[in-house]
Amino acid sequence: AVAADPIKVAAIYTVPVEQQWVSRIDKALNAAQDRGEITYTFSENVANTDYERVMREYAEQGMDLIVGEAFAVERAARKVAAEYPDTAFLMGSSFGPAQPNFSVFDNWVHEPSYLSGMIAGATTKSNVIGMVGGYAIPEVNRLMNAFMEGATSVNPDVKFLVTFINSWYDPPKAKESAFAMIDKGADILYAERFGVSDAAKEKGILAIGNVIDTAGDYPGTILSSALWHMEPTIDKAVGAVKGGSFEPADYGPFSFMGPGGGSFVVDESLAPADAVKAAKDKEQEIMDGLFRVNVNDTEPKSTM
Amino acid sequence: MTVRSQEAPLVLKLEGITKRFGGLTANGDVSLDLGKGEILALLGENGAGKTTLMNILFGHYVADEGRVLVADPSGELDALEPGSPSAALEAGIGMVHQHFTLAENLSALDNILLGTEPLAALKSSRAPARKKLDDLMARSGLSVNLDTRISQLSVGEKQRVEILKALYRDARVLVLDEPTAVLTPQESETLFSVLKKLAGEGLGIIFISHKLAEVLASSNRVAVLRGGRKVADLQTSGCDRRQLAELMVGHEIAETAREPGEPGAVLFSLKNVSAGGGRDALRDVSLDLKAGEILGIAGVSGNGQTMLARVISGLEPVRSGELLLEGEGLGSLHARSMIDLGFARIPEDRHHDGIVGAMTVSENLAIESIRKPENQRFGLLRFAAMRTRAKEMIKAYDIRCQGEDSPARLLSGGNIQKIVLARTLETEPRVVLAAQPSRGLDVGATSDVHRRLLEARARGAGVILISEDLDELMRLSDRIAVIHRGELSNAEPTETLDRGTLGLRMAGHGAEDAA
Amino acid sequence: MIRFEPREPASLGRMIAVSVAAAVVALILASVPMLFAGLNVFEAYGLMVKGAFGSVFAFTEMLTRATPLILTGLAAAVAFRAKLWNIGAEGQLYAGALAAVAVGTGMVSGPSYVLIPLVVLAGALAGGLVMLGPTLLKTRLGVDEVVTTLLLNFVILLFVQMMLEGPMKDPMGMGWPQSEPILDGAALPKLMNRMRIHWGLVIALVSTLGVYFLLKRTVWGFEIRAVGENAAAAKHAGIPVTATFVRVGLLSGALAGLAGVGEVAGLKGYLTADLSPGFGYSGIVVAMLAGLSPIGVVFAALFIASIFVGADSMSRATGVSNYLADLIVAMALLCVLVSGLFLRFRVRFIGVPRSREAAE
Amino acid sequence: MSEILDILLSANFWAASLRIATPLIFGVIGALICERAGVLNLGIEGIFTAGAMAGWMAVWLGAGLWGGVLVAALAGGFFGLIHAILTVPLGLSQHVSGIGVTLFATSLSYFTYRTALPDVSSPPRIEAFKPLDIPVLSDLPFIGPALFQQTSLTFLALALVLATAYVLYRTPLGLAIQAVGDNPSAVESQGLSVYGLRIGAVVAGSSIMALGGAFLTMSAFDAFFFGMVNGRGWICIALTVFASWRPGKALLGALLFGAFDAFQVRLQTEVGSFIPGQVFLMMPYLLSIAALVVVARRADYPRALLVPYFRGQR
Ligand SMILES: Nc1ncnc2c1ncn2[C@@H]1O[C@H](COP(=O)(O)OP(=O)(O)OP(=O)(O)O)[C@@H](O)[C@H]1O
Ligand SMILES: Nc1ncnc2c1ncn2[C@@H]1O[C@H](COP(=O)(O)OP(=O)(O)OP(=O)(O)O)[C@@H](O)[C@H]1O
Ligand SMILES: [Mg+2]
Ligand SMILES: [Mg+2]
C-alpha cells in the first residue's frame, strides 16, 4: 500500500550531528522532511551501550524507518531489527544486508577521493601531501588510500604524511597536526577532520575537502573536494518504505558517483588546467563504468 | 563569689555564658571577669569546658546564652559581637589556642601579618612590620627568627609566634589555652616570666593549665570549672595544690609515687643505635633496661626523643647499632614484630598515632591484637568476643565513653589515653615504652596513667618513660638518663639526682660540669 | 547565619523523606531546561518514569545500565575507604574487558563452566594489575595516585585501541578496530529472554555482598578501615599499611575490571574502544553518593541509571535534544549530594544579635 | 636521531608547544589557585567546556572577542561558585561535587548549544583572535616565530602566571590563600573568613580555567564542537601536582606537556609507519607520569586540601 501521509523516520547517531558524515545523513533526511515525505527525529551522541535500547525505543514508537550506524554494534543492531519486522532499518555497516528488514549503506566516496588525489598530485610543488585523520577506521582509510592512489597515478614522486589525532572532534589538535605537516614541507593537506583546512588557510597553502563542501568557508584554500551525498540512498529507502516495497539490500552503491551519491569538485582557479582535464576525463570513465577505483581499507602510513 | 583586687579596672567580663552541644552542657551560666594587668588561671578536668569558654570569648563558638563584654581603649565595657573572631581581635583579644593555629607553609612573619593588612593591598608591607616586631621581641623577650617557615620551628618557637601574633595586634587581653602542655620546664619558666612582664605593662592574661605548680607560682587569681560550671574563683595567694585538685575533680586525689623495688636482670638494651637524620636524629645511643624498673628519659623536646620512641616502637629502621631483648638481637624492626615480642608502646601523640578516631572504642581496643585468635577466626572478626573484652577493659580502666560502640574520636584526651593503656598493658607486656604519657591530661587522668605504669613495674615489666615533666620523672623513675642532641647520657639512680642537675644536663651541660 | 550541627544517624523514615525531597527538588530544577525546550513538564515527568520503570523492557534496561555502575562504584568505594584515591576505574574497566576478550575469543576452549570463570577471573586480574602500578608507586615512591590513575585512563584506552587495530583486531571485522566476538560458551548468559539484562548483574550484586562482608566482618576489612581513617595510627598498631594498600588496590582494580567483563562478555560480545560512556568516572559519583557504603552503592547506581534511562527515553519520546538526559542526571546528582547534608546535620538558622550596647 | 634534533631546533615546534600549552596554562593556574586554597576542583573538564561554549557563543552573538573572554570567565565563575558553595560552607565531597559540576557544566553547555542551534551541519564560525605579529619582535630569528606570533590570549595566559605568582607570594591576599589551604584555623584565628577566601579562590580559579576553554574556541579554533575539550581539563589536574602547586613550575609543566604533544605529532609523521600511532599519543601521558615519579618526593601538598572546614567542630 502506498502511504500518503509522511512516514516516520528516526535516526540514531553515535556522534553529534555536526560530525561530517553524519551531517550528510541528517541533511538528506531534513530535505525529505521538508518535502513532506517524512517526519524526522534523531538521537545523537548515543553511547554504544545505549544503542540497542535506543533502537528498540524507536521501534516501539512505531517508526517506519530507522536509520543509523551499526558499525560498532553490528550484532545487537541485527538482532533488534529481526525482532521488529514491521520496521525498516537502514544502517551504516561494513557487512551485508539481512532478512527481513535490514538494509545497509556505507560512505563510498573513494571515487571522488581518487579524483581529488589526481588534482592534488598534479598541483603539489613540494611533492609532499599531509593527511590528518580522526581514527584509522575503514571508512577513513578507504578514502585516504584512494586519494593517495589518485595522487601517485599522476605524480609518482609525491610523498605522504599521515597522522591520526584519535578524536572525531578536536579541531585545535587537528590544526596542530596540520601545522606540523606544513613544517615538514607539505603544501597540500587532506582535510579529513575539522581544523585542517584552517591550518592550510592560515599558512596560505591548499587543502582537499572531504565529504562536505567547505569551499565557502575557506575561499581560495579548498583545491578540490570529494563530496558524499546521502540523498540518493535516503530517497530510495524512503520511497521503498512508502511504497511498501522495502527489501533488505545493500544501498552502498547509491553512494557511488554513478547514482549521484558521490561527487567531485575542483577549484579550477587553483589547479593546473591539464590536471583538471585529466580528472574530469577520469570522472567520465568512472561514470561510464570504464574505471574502477580500488577499495583498500588498510591503515595508510606515511611514505617519507 | 568573685574575689578581685578592686583597684584594677576591668578589661573583660563574661556574663552568664551557657553553651550546649546537643545534650551536653559544656558551659553552664559561667561568669568571669579579668582586670587590667591581672593573670587569671583557668583550671578544670579534661572536658570541663575551659576551651569552649575561651572559644566563645574569641568568637569561634556562639554562646547559647550570655554575653561577653570587653573594655575599649578608654576603659569602657562594650558588648562583643558574638561569633566573630575578627570582632574579638579588633576589640583587643588575642588567643593562643590549645592546638597551634599557624600556617606551616608560611614564615613566622607572614603568619603574624596574616589578617592585619587589607586583603586588597597590592603588596604585603613586611618591612615596617618587621621593625615593629623587632621592638616587640626586644621588649617582651620573645625572640624567634621571623623568616623561618613555621614547619622548621620547634614547639616552643611556634608558641612564641602565637603570642607575638596577639601582641602585634596590640592585644589588651591575652588568652593562652594550655600553653605549657608541650613546653619544657625551662621554656615554661621563660614563658611565665614573659607573661608577668606583659601583665606588668597592663595586659590582662587568662591561661589554662593542668599543672598546679605553675598555676600557684604564676597567677594572681584562679577560676575552677567543673562539669561546665564555675565552682571557684579565688585569689591564688590563699590556695594550695590539694585544695585546687579537689575543687577540680570534686574529691581527693591519691598522689602516686614509686615504692622502692628490686630491679631484675637486664631485659632490653640499645647498643650504639643511630637512626634518623636532621634535628631529631639519634646518635650512638645505648641503654639498658632492667626488669621491674622505670627508666626515665629526660630532655628538651626535639632532642631525639621522638626518634627514640619511633625506633623502639618498630616504626623507624636503625642506621647502625642494634636492639637486644634478653640478649638476643631483634633484627629488622616492625611495629607488628615489636608488639608480638611483648612491647607496649604508648605514643606521644595519642590522637595522631594512638587511635583511629572514626572506629569504635571496641575496635580501637582490639587493633593491636586484631590478628590474634581471640579477635579473629579464619580471617573473620569475632565481634562478640571483641565487645566482651572491650566491656571488661572499659570497666577495668574506667574509660568514660557512651559505650564500646561509640567512635573513639568523641572521647576526651584522658580517656583516649586510657584506651591506649588498656590495649597495650592488658597483654602484660615485658617492655613498656611510654612517650609523654600524661601530656595534656588533667590531674585525675595523670594519676591513673602513673598508677598503671607503676603496676607494670611491679609486675616485673621494664618501663621506659620519656617525659619533659621533671616532677613526673623524679616521682616515677628508678633511674634517669638525659637525652640531648640525640645523645643519651648514662642512666643514674634518681636518688642521686636533683632537678637542678637534670635541668643543666637537659640544656647540654655534661655531668662533669654539673658537679 | 546558618549552622550545621552533627546529628545522630538518621532514621529510615528521615532518609526516605530526605531522598524524596531531593528527588522533588531535582525534578523542579530539571523543569527549567524542559520549559526552555518547550516541553509540557508533567507529561515529560510521566515519560521519564515510564522510560525507566514503565515496562519489563524499560526496567531491565535500567538494571543493565546500573550493572557496570555498581561495580565501578564498588571499586571506588573500597579504594576510597582506605583513602586510596583510585580515579582510574575507567582504565581498569577497559583492561578487564581487554583481558576478557583475550581469553574469551578462543585462546582457550572448553565448556562454559570453565570458560566463563576464566573470562571473569582474567578481567578481574587485569583490572587489579592495572591498579597495582599506581598503588606501588604511591607506597614505594610517594607518587600521588589521583594523578597516576587519571593519566593511566588515557594510556589504557590508547593501548586498547592499539590492540584493536593490531594483534587483537577481528579479521572478520571488515577492517574495523574491534575484537573478535567472545565465544558463545564464554559469554555471560542473559538473565531474561529477549532482554539485555545479563549475569553481570548477579556478579555485581554478589560482589556487593562480598565487599560488604569484607569490610564489615573480616580482618582485612578492619585493616582497610583503619588505614583509611588513620594510617599513622594503624601503622603504629602494627597493621601492614603497604600490604593493605596493595590489597585494596588489587581489589578495587579487579572490581572495575569486572565491570568491563560484564560489558563485553555480558552485553556487547566484542570489544570496541567506545565500550564505556564514562562508567569509571560515574562510579566515583556512585560511591560517594552511597557514602562509600557497599550496599548504598547498589541504590546509588540504580538511582543514576534510572534517571539517565528515564530522561533519555523521555527526550526521545518528546523529540528534545537527548543532551537533556545528561543535564537532568547532573542536576539530580547535585541535589542528592546536597540532601545528604540534611541526613548528617541538623541545620539551624541562628539570628546574630548585632547591638553593641554599653555595659551598665 | 638527526630528525629529532631538527624538530627540537625548529622555531615552529616551539611555537606549537606554546600554543598547545596555552589552554593548559589557564587550566593549571586555575586549578592551582583552587587547590592552594584547599579545594580540589574536578569540575575543570566541564568548566573548560562551559568556557569554550559560552565564550564562543557570546562572540557569535556579537559580543566581540574580549566580550567573549569576559563571558567565558563569568561562566567559569558561575560553575566555580556552585562547586565552592557545595564544598566550602556545605563541606560536601570535593570529588563528587567536582565530577557533578563537570557533568552539569558539560551537559548544560551541550544542551544550550543544541537548543540554540538545533540544526547545523557545519558549526558556525566566528572571527577568532589572530596572531599578534608584533612588528619587529615577530621577525627576530627563532624567538620571533616561537614567541611573538601567538595570539593575545597566549600572552594573557603568560601574564596570569606572573600575576598569580606575584599575588600568591607578595600580597596579603596571596598569603591568606596559602594559609587557608594549609591550616584554615590559622586564617580564622586571625579574623579572616575561611569561607570567603576559599569561595573567592575557587570562583577566581574557575574563571581562569574557563579561559582555557575559551582559548580553544576563540584562538586555537573558531567554532565550538561537542567533546572538543577532550580531556585537557584532567591533564591540568595532573599538571598541578607535577607543579607542586607553584605557578612557575605550572608554566613549565604545561610547556613540557605542550612540547611532548607537539613532538609527538611531528614524530608520528617521521616514524609512523613502523610504530602504531597510539604509542605516540600515549607519550605525553607516560612522560607526565615519569616526571611525576621524579618530583614526587618533593611534592608539598597544601595540607588542608580536600579537608572541609567547619567552624567550631572537632
Ligand atoms: N564542637 C563540639 N561538639 C561537640 N562537643 C564538644 C565540642 N567542643 C567541645 N565539646 C565537648 O564539650 C566539653 C568541653 O570541652 P572543652 O574542650 O571545652 O574541654 P576542656 O576543658 O578544654 O578540656 P581539656 O582539658 O581536655 O582541653 C567536652 O565534653 C567536649 O567533648
Ligand atoms: N600517616 C600516613 N598518612 C597517609 N599515608 C600513609 C601514612 N603512613 C603511611 N602511609 C602510606 O603508606 C605507605 C607505606 O607506608 P610504610 O612503608 O610505612 O608501611 P608499612 O606497613 O611499614 O609497610 P612495609 O610493609 O613496607 O614496611 C606510605 O608510602 C604512604 O603512602
Ligand atoms: Mg581544652
Ligand atoms: Mg615500612
Side-chain angles (χ1 to χ4, degrees):
Chain A
V2 178
D5 292 336
I7 60 165
K8 293 202 282 180
V9 180
I12 311 168
Y13 307 126
T14 57
V15 288
V17 279
E18 279 86 353
Q19 213 279 72
Q20 282 100 320
W21 84 289
V22 160
S23 75
R24 306 304 282 174
I25 307 174
D26 182 60
K27 178 163 175 273
L29 287 168
N30 270 317
Q33 172 159 264
D34 292 344
R35 290 195 303 270
E37 291 170 14
I38 64 170
T39 59
Y40 164 50
T41 174
F42 68 84
S43 287
E44 60 182 324
N45 219 15
V46 173
N48 228 308
T49 333
D50 300 319
Y51 204 91
E52 189 176 334
R53 179 177 68 252
V54 178
M55 280 181 79
R56 281 179 195 271
E57 282 181 356
Y58 277 137
E60 292 286 341
Q61 282 180 25
M63 292 293 163
D64 299 301
L65 171 64
I66 293 176
V67 182
E69 319 155 67
F71 294 114
V73 284
E74 284 292 348
R75 282 214 290 195
R78 285 165 195 267
K79 204 177 65 197
V80 175
E83 288 175 24
Y84 294 93
D86 296 337
T87 304
F89 290 84
L90 175 63
M91 305 300 271
S93 166
S94 305
F95 296 87
Q99 288 294 341
N101 57 347
F102 194 88
S103 292
V104 296
F105 66 91
D106 205 345
N107 109 350
W108 290 101
V109 282
H110 56 303
E111 295 162 335
S113 296
Y114 182 92
L115 298 175
S116 57
M118 288 175 69
I119 299 285
T123 313
T124 176
K125 302 213 167 50
S126 63
N127 279 344
V128 179
I129 296 179
M131 314 177 68
V132 180
Y135 295 92
I137 57 161
E139 323 308 292
V140 172
N141 300 345
R142 181 183 302 162
L143 310 183
M144 288 192 167
N145 285 322
F147 173 86
M148 289 161 80
E149 210 168 301
T152 32
S153 74
V154 298
N155 180 356
D157 296 331
V158 71
K159 296 272 184 275
F160 299 93
L161 300 169
V162 184
T163 308
F164 291 97
I165 59 166
N166 245 52
S167 164
W168 292 130
Y169 284 110
D170 198 336
K173 192 158 198 167
K175 208 168 152 186
E176 283 302 338
S177 298
F179 280 141
M181 293 177 165
I182 299 172
D183 290 349
K184 288 268 312 177
D187 65 350
I188 296 181
L189 297 173
Y190 183 87
E192 203 274 324
R193 287 290 103 198
F194 280 117
V196 178
S197 304
D198 301 83
K201 186 176 155 204
E202 219 170 292
K203 296 284 177 184
I205 63 164
L206 299 172
I208 304 293
N210 179 49
V211 174
I212 57 173
D213 190 359
T214 53
D217 291 333
Y218 308 97
T221 299
I222 305 296
L223 172 63
S224 162
S225 298
L227 305 182
W228 185 39
H229 308 284
M230 189 61 182
E231 283 79 2
T233 312
I234 291 293
D235 294 351
K236 179 83 171 59
V238 167
V241 174
K242 273 180 108 71
S245 62
F246 188 83
E247 283 291 322
D250 182 1
Y251 281 69
F254 288 98
S255 289
F256 283 38
M257 288 178 79
S263 72
F264 153 73
V265 290
V266 55
D267 187 333
E268 298 189 14
S269 66
L270 298 173
D274 49 344
V276 174
K277 177 161 186 317
K280 293 240 153 120
D281 291 348
K282 192 62 95 186
E283 181 178 18
Q284 198 52 50
E285 280 182 44
I286 293 172
M287 299 294 254
D288 296 343
L290 299 174
F291 181 76
R292 251 184 55 88
V293 178
N294 283 330
V295 174
N296 175 2
D297 287 352
T298 57
E299 182 179 336
K301 299 281 185 190
S302 295
T303 56
M304 68 178 280
Chain B
M1 185 90 196
T2 304
V3 193
R4 196 174 48 77
S5 37
Q6 287 303 319
E7 60 272 25
L10 282 189
V11 286
L12 179 73
K13 192 173 173 68
L14 304 181
E15 286 182 352
I17 301 286
T18 296
K19 175 72 185 172
R20 296 182 201 90
F21 292 108
L24 178 111
T25 304
N27 290 146
D29 192 23
V30 179
S31 297
L32 201 64
D33 46 34
L34 179 71
K36 191 170 183 206
E38 189 176 32
I39 301 184
L40 170 71
L42 191 56
L43 281 183
E45 281 184 288
N46 295 125
K50 308 177 295 289
T51 300
T52 304
L53 188 63
M54 294 303 108
N55 277 336
I56 288 168
L57 165 60
F58 194 66
H60 286 309
Y61 295 171
V62 178
D64 298 323
E65 287 158 37
R67 59 178 187 162
V68 179
L69 301 159
V70 193
D72 62 18
S74 69
E76 190 112 339
L77 286 177
D78 286 334
L80 184 69
E81 180 187 337
S84 164
S86 59
L89 286 167
E90 205 169 306
I93 299 174
M95 177 131 174
V96 178
H97 294 79
Q98 188 165 2
H99 304 285
F100 294 137
T101 56
L102 297 167
E104 301 261 331
N105 57 348
L106 299 183
S107 70
L109 180 62
D110 289 339
N111 266 284
I112 295 167
L113 283 189
L114 198 63
T116 61
E117 302 171 287
L119 284 183
L122 284 180
K123 196 166 186 325
S124 187
S125 33
R126 288 170 174 136
R130 194 184 294 275
K131 197 169 165 327
K132 178 170 176 183
L133 280 164
D134 283 339
D135 287 350
L136 249 167
M137 290 195 288
R139 207 170 40 140
S140 64
L142 294 161
S143 83
V144 0
N145 183 349
L146 290 175
D147 295 312
T148 315
R149 265 169 70 123
I150 297 295
S151 53
Q152 308 292 318
L153 295 180
S154 72
V155 183
E157 288 168 319
K158 285 182 189 172
Q159 183 147 55
R160 274 176 248 158
V161 176
E162 287 277 20
I163 298 174
L164 283 171
K165 264 164 66 175
L167 298 183
Y168 181 76
R169 289 172 178 260
D170 304 317
R172 293 187 295 282
V173 176
L174 181 62
V175 178
L176 302 106
D177 195 349
E178 298 194 30
T180 57
V182 290
L183 297 189
T184 61
Q186 285 82 354
E187 282 174 318
S188 302
E189 267 165 41
T190 323
L191 174 69
F192 281 115
S193 67
V194 169
L195 291 182
K196 281 181 182 155
K197 197 165 165 189
L198 293 170
E201 294 175 11
L203 189 67
I205 296 173
I206 303 179
F207 77 92
I208 297 173
S209 177
H210 292 295
K211 299 180 183 166
L212 298 178
E214 65 192 30
V215 169
L216 290 170
S218 306
S219 67
N220 308 125
R221 203 150 55 85
V222 191
V224 181
L225 292 184
R226 189 164 73 225
R229 299 193 170 265
K230 190 168 85 172
V231 293
D233 194 334
L234 314 159
Q235 293 294 337
T236 311
S237 45
C239 303
D240 63 32
R241 281 180 78 104
R242 170 168 298 261
Q243 180 194 4
L244 290 179
E246 280 185 35
L247 279 171
M248 279 162 67
V249 292
H251 57 83
E252 253 184 76
I253 298 207
E255 291 256 327
T256 40
R258 167 179 56 103
E259 315 265 312
E262 270 305 299
V266 170
L267 181 62
F268 171 62
S269 2
L270 267 65
K271 290 261 175 293
N272 309 100
V273 167
S274 298
R279 241 186 127 96
D280 199 40
L282 280 190
R283 293 188 185 83
D284 202 20
V285 164
S286 299
L287 68 76
D288 285 315
L289 174 69
K290 296 181 193 140
E293 75 162 348
I294 295 184
L295 173 62
I297 307 233
V300 177
S301 113
N303 275 290
Q305 294 96 322
T306 305
M307 190 55 62
L308 179 62
R310 286 180 60 82
V311 167
I312 301 176
S313 298
L315 298 172
E316 191 78 30
V318 298
R319 244 184 304 113
S320 61
E322 62 175 337
L323 279 67
L324 305 165
L325 183 64
E326 289 174 341
E328 283 196 38
L330 292 187
S332 81
L333 305 174
H334 272 272
R336 171 86 271 130
S337 55
M338 297 310 278
I339 295 168
D340 294 343
L341 286 168
F343 280 69
R345 299 119 65 250
I346 299 165
E348 68 175 50
D349 186 341
R350 61 187 82 96
H351 288 273
H352 188 254
D353 297 316
I355 57 151
V356 180
M359 295 176 94
T360 63
V361 170
S362 125
E363 288 175 316
N364 273 287
L365 284 168
I367 190 166
E368 282 193 6
S369 53
I370 198 64
R371 293 193 168 218
K372 297 267 163 64
E374 69 257 30
N375 287 325
Q376 60 96 21
R377 189 169 290 161
F378 313 120
L380 302 184
L381 295 172
R382 301 175 60 187
F383 281 112
M386 280 164 64
R387 282 215 185 83
T388 314
R389 283 178 6 100
K391 280 198 190 118
E392 288 165 16
M393 286 197 248
I394 287 172
K395 206 148 155 232
Y397 285 78
D398 187 26
I399 302 171
R400 310 258 172 91
C401 59
Q402 290 185 13
E404 70 278 6
D405 289 329
S406 64
R409 149 179 62 88
L410 298 180
L411 272 62
S412 71
N415 284 300
I416 286 174
Q417 191 70 320
K418 286 185 198 165
I419 292 185
V420 177
L421 286 173
R423 74 161 182 241
T424 54
L425 297 181
E426 193 59 15
T427 56
E428 309 226 320
R430 288 191 282 177
V431 178
V432 177
L433 166 74
Q436 320 288 2
S438 62
R439 185 183 269 179
L441 299 189
D442 64 35
V443 280
T446 302
S447 95
D448 277 343
V449 171
H450 291 174
R451 191 160 51 83
R452 295 291 173 188
L453 294 180
L454 288 170
E455 276 171 17
R457 167 181 176 268
R459 218 179 9 83
V463 178
I464 299 176
L465 171 64
I466 302 178
S467 175
E468 292 167 33
D469 184 341
L470 287 184
D471 290 332
E472 176 175 74
L473 284 170
M474 306 279 292
R475 198 130 37 88
L476 298 183
S477 314
D478 296 283
R479 293 184 297 148
I480 299 180
V482 176
I483 191 163
H484 178 72
R485 299 232 169 119
E487 292 174 15
L488 190 68
S489 73
N490 280 331
E492 292 171 38
T494 309
E495 289 70 31
T496 66
L497 295 163
D498 58 48
R499 287 180 62 100
T501 326
L502 281 176
L504 280 172
R505 289 200 194 155
M506 284 162 71
H509 304 290
E512 323 65 70
D513 315 353
Chain C
M1 169 171 224
I2 310 176
R3 300 208 143 247
F4 298 100
E5 294 181 358
R7 62 184 310 142
E8 303 299 304
S11 65
L12 188 66
R14 191 180 170 86
M15 270 164 75
I16 293 172
V18 168
S19 308
V20 169
V24 169
V25 173
L27 290 180
I28 293 173
L29 279 180
S31 64
V32 176
M34 289 185 194
L35 288 173
F36 257 97
L39 290 185
N40 175 336
V41 172
F42 291 98
E43 194 185 322
Y45 289 147
L47 287 167
M48 256 176 84
V49 175
K50 203 168 142 233
F53 301 99
S55 62
V56 174
F57 169 70
F59 188 63
T60 57
E61 277 296 312
M62 190 274 285
L63 292 178
T64 306
R65 208 168 205 278
T67 300
L69 290 178
I70 296 174
L71 286 163
T72 53
L74 285 176
V78 74
F80 288 12
R81 270 291 182 97
K83 298 229 162 59
L84 180 68
W85 303 110
N86 176 12
I87 315 288
E90 185 80 0
Q92 291 141 23
L93 180 153
Y94 273 101
L98 194 68
V101 164
V103 174
T105 53
M107 188 171 105
V108 280
S109 54
S112 279
Y113 58 83
V114 176
L115 276 183
I116 293 179
L118 266 183
V119 164
V120 170
L121 276 180
L125 194 65
L129 286 179
V130 165
M131 189 53 206
L132 187 61
T135 310
L136 290 178
L137 281 179
K138 172 196 168 75
T139 55
R140 294 283 164 231
L141 299 172
V143 183
D144 184 54
E145 74 277 17
V146 172
V147 180
T148 46
T149 52
L150 190 60
L151 291 178
L152 272 182
N153 287 341
F154 297 96
V155 174
I156 292 169
L157 191 59
L158 286 164
F159 182 74
V160 167
Q161 288 176 1
M162 193 166 100
M163 298 317 274
L164 293 181
E165 285 177 19
M168 293 182 65
K169 187 170 183 166
D170 181 5
M172 308 296 287
M174 304 294 278
W176 278 84
Q178 63 191 34
S179 74
E180 288 179 54
I182 298 230
L183 301 176
D184 282 343
L188 301 181
K190 302 280 179 220
L191 284 175
M192 275 174 83
N193 242 343
R194 282 169 53 96
M195 299 294 156
R196 292 205 293 166
I197 188 167
H198 54 88
W199 266 79
L201 181 62
V202 177
I203 294 181
L205 294 177
V206 170
S207 303
T208 305
L209 292 179
V211 171
Y212 172 83
F213 186 78
L214 172 86
L215 287 175
K216 260 254 149 54
R217 298 271 152 197
T218 68
V219 171
W220 280 7
F222 181 97
E223 293 179 347
I224 290 170
R225 288 184 287 134
V227 168
E229 298 293 352
N230 184 348
K235 189 170 172 178
H236 192 275
I239 288 176
V241 175
T242 302
T244 302
F245 274 129
V246 167
R247 267 177 226 135
V248 168
L250 285 172
L251 175 61
S252 171
L255 287 164
L258 283 179
V261 172
E263 287 304 280
V264 79
L267 200 57
K268 284 206 51 191
Y270 54 91
L271 177 60
T272 56
D274 51 3
L275 181 73
S276 157
F279 286 134
Y281 300 102
S282 313
I284 297 167
V285 168
V286 166
M288 301 295 303
L289 278 185
L292 305 187
S293 128
I295 306 291
V297 159
V298 175
F299 290 98
L302 291 177
F303 170 76
I304 299 270
S306 54
I307 297 273
F308 179 83
V309 170
D312 190 46
S313 158
M314 177 271 284
S315 77
R316 217 156 359 262
T318 54
V320 183
S321 162
N322 49 322
Y323 289 116
L324 182 61
D326 287 325
L327 185 56
I328 294 178
V329 171
M331 286 176 161
L333 166 66
L334 293 177
C335 287
V336 171
L337 184 60
V338 173
S339 76
L341 215 60
F342 293 87
L343 293 178
R344 280 186 291 126
F345 298 100
R346 198 183 300 279
V347 181
R348 289 216 295 165
F349 296 88
I350 300 177
V352 177
R354 300 225 159 238
S355 60
R356 276 186 159 257
E357 346 142 35
E360 42 289 271
Chain D
M1 273 302 112
S2 77
E3 283 97 342
I4 292 179
L5 213 63
D6 284 349
I7 292 176
L8 292 179
L9 286 178
S10 105
N12 284 336
F13 164 74
W14 291 104
S17 304
L18 183 53
R19 241 180 356 246
I20 297 173
T22 301
L24 304 180
I25 297 174
F26 283 118
V28 68
I29 288 290
L32 178 150
I33 292 174
C34 297
E35 290 183 28
R36 270 293 177 129
V39 182
L40 175 69
N41 190 350
L42 292 182
I44 185 167
E45 184 81 5
I47 290 174
F48 255 68
T49 309
M53 207 298 282
W56 173 86
M57 185 160 278
V59 178
W60 186 66
L61 293 174
L65 281 173
W66 289 105
V69 171
L70 185 70
V71 169
L74 287 175
F78 168 73
F79 290 107
L81 186 64
I82 293 179
H83 184 57
I85 290 176
L86 292 180
T87 56
V88 180
L90 301 187
L92 294 165
S93 153
Q94 297 181 7
H95 286 102
V96 188
S97 170
I99 292 181
V101 166
T102 282
L103 282 180
F104 184 50
T106 307
S107 54
L108 187 61
S109 304
Y110 287 1
F111 183 73
T112 309
Y113 182 86
R114 180 54 85 231
T115 310
L117 297 162
D119 220 10
V120 285
S121 50
S122 172
R125 305 299 184 96
I126 58 168
E127 195 63 37
F129 280 100
K130 293 262 172 312
L132 279 183
D133 262 327
I134 303 167
V136 182
L137 295 178
S138 307
D139 299 330
L140 291 176
F142 197 83
I143 310 275
L147 253 183
F148 295 107
Q149 291 188 3
Q150 308 285 348
T151 68
S152 317
L153 284 184
T154 299
F155 291 101
L156 179 64
L158 296 175
L160 270 173
V161 175
L162 287 179
T164 305
Y166 180 83
V167 169
L168 214 47
Y169 298 123
R170 292 271 176 269
T171 68
L173 178 64
L175 296 177
I177 289 175
Q178 287 194 53
V180 80
D182 184 82
N183 184 2
S185 53
V187 166
E188 174 156 320
S189 73
Q190 289 282 58
L192 296 173
S193 160
V194 173
Y195 293 171
L197 282 166
R198 285 193 165 170
I199 294 175
V202 173
V203 170
S206 303
S207 301
I208 294 177
M209 288 171 186
L211 298 185
F215 178 86
L216 294 177
T217 49
M218 296 168 58
S219 177
F221 205 65
D222 54 6
F224 175 79
F225 288 88
F226 297 91
M228 77 188 290
V229 172
N230 206 5
R232 285 178 177 86
W234 304 132
I235 301 293
C236 295
I237 294 293
L239 286 177
T240 313
V241 180
F242 171 81
S244 308
W245 296 269
R246 291 170 194 284
K249 284 196 189 167
L251 174 63
L252 182 75
L255 283 176
L256 269 180
F257 193 94
F260 289 152
D261 207 16
F263 189 64
Q264 168 272 116
V265 165
R266 282 160 175 77
L267 213 58
Q268 213 187 116
T269 61
E270 293 286 347
V271 283
S273 22
F274 315 114
I275 304 174
Q278 286 86 5
V279 172
F280 299 102
L281 294 161
M282 280 179 203
M283 220 166 62
Y285 304 106
L286 289 175
L287 289 175
S288 297
I289 293 177
L292 203 65
V293 171
V294 176
V295 301
R297 276 287 172 220
R298 292 189 300 273
D300 196 2
Y301 274 79
R303 285 190 309 146
L305 187 61
L306 289 179
V307 187
Y309 181 73
F310 296 110
R311 234 167 146 191
Q313 184 170 309
R314 49 160 117 188

